[in-house]
Amino acid sequence: PKFGNIIDQLADVIRDRERAGEPLRIIRGDPQDYPIELSWRLKPLVLNRQPTILFGEGGLAKSWLALWLALLTTQGLTRCGIAASMGNILYLDWETSEEEINRRVAMLKKGEHFSEDAEVLYRRCFASLADELEQVLEQVAGCSVVMVIIDSLLGASGGGELQKESSPGAFFKAFRRLNVGGLIIGHTTK
């Protein structure tokens, strides 16, 4: 009985803190407090701790590009004017399958001559990012992930209509909690 009360009290405290939000801060633009230089994960595409959305019609190789960028990042390489800061990548997939992503990584490694030990962490997803957030947060922390690739924005938003205010709002609220850079693949209508 006492254990249940403690959990309920803890849940109330956490809920109250989330509702209260962050404290008010005064920003003066002082370089001593915060660096002025941008902090890139994939220069000039993805900033650390910020989302970048890559939009396009289906069939334009957005997922292939994302995997190529992931492999650059896992090895800290620079190619075609894109400089990657080395770190672990988590590929969150609402579009294809583990087998297909594995096939593509193998082809990219062979064609681009990436190191044999280059790897991408992979998670197939079914529910929205907001619904899977706790498990994804554990994987991001446990594997020292520096960037997530989200394929695709529609799936990660719950598969509903992105025009509805709640879908992108819930997605970006969840993404912000990851506290890593993100390359998000979005599909435009034809």
Side-chain angles (χ1 to χ4, degrees):
K2 284 188 175 184
F3 188 68
N5 290 338
I6 292 171
I7 292 175
D8 290 339
Q9 291 172 357
L10 181 59
D12 289 342
V13 168
I14 292 169
R15 193 173 20 260
D16 290 346
R17 285 188 183 166
E18 282 216 359
R19 286 181 183 151
E22 290 289 316
L24 180 66
R25 301 191 194 298
I26 298 172
I27 305 295
R28 292 190 174 96
D30 186 348
Q32 299 298 320
D33 292 335
Y34 304 99
I36 299 295
E37 293 295 316
L38 295 176
S39 176
W40 294 97
R41 177 55 46 202
L42 272 166
K43 187 176 184 176
L45 299 175
V46 180
L47 288 164
N48 283 319
R49 300 175 54 195
Q50 299 295 323
T52 297
I53 304 175
L54 180 62
F55 278 104
E57 291 182 11
L60 294 178
K62 295 178 298 297
S63 299
W64 283 91
L65 174 62
L67 282 170
W68 181 75
L69 293 169
L71 290 169
L72 285 181
T73 304
T74 63
Q75 300 202 296
L77 299 174
T78 298
R79 297 274 198 288
C80 302
I82 300 170
S85 296
M86 190 172 181
N88 291 330
I89 301 296
L90 175 58
Y91 195 101
L92 300 173
D93 185 10
W94 280 265
E95 291 288 313
T96 60
S97 66
E98 178 181 354
E99 293 80 13
E100 178 60 19
I101 297 301
N102 186 58
R103 184 181 75 80
R104 291 177 183 187
V105 167
M107 292 172 71
L108 286 167
K109 285 169 76 171
K110 184 176 180 181
E112 184 68 25
H113 304 290
F114 288 108
S115 168
E116 276 303 310
D117 62 347
E119 62 187 16
V120 177
L121 301 169
Y122 176 87
R123 177 185 170 98
R124 189 158 185 204
C125 300
F126 297 95
S128 71
L129 179 61
D131 290 339
E132 297 199 25
L133 184 61
E134 294 310 314
Q135 295 84 7
V136 173
L137 279 169
E138 287 176 16
Q139 292 166 339
V140 165
C143 296
S144 302
V145 169
V146 297
M147 187 175 91
V148 295
I149 293 173
I150 296 175
D151 190 0
S152 74
L153 179 57
L154 182 63
S157 296
E161 295 177 39
L162 289 176
Q163 294 82 0
K164 291 184 179 179
E165 188 176 315
S166 61
S167 292
F171 167 78
F172 283 106
K173 182 179 178 183
F175 175 83
R176 190 175 191 130
R177 295 226 9 237
L178 296 176
N179 203 31
V180 296
L183 181 61
I184 302 159
I185 299 170
H187 299 283
T188 58
T189 55
K190 293 183 179 183

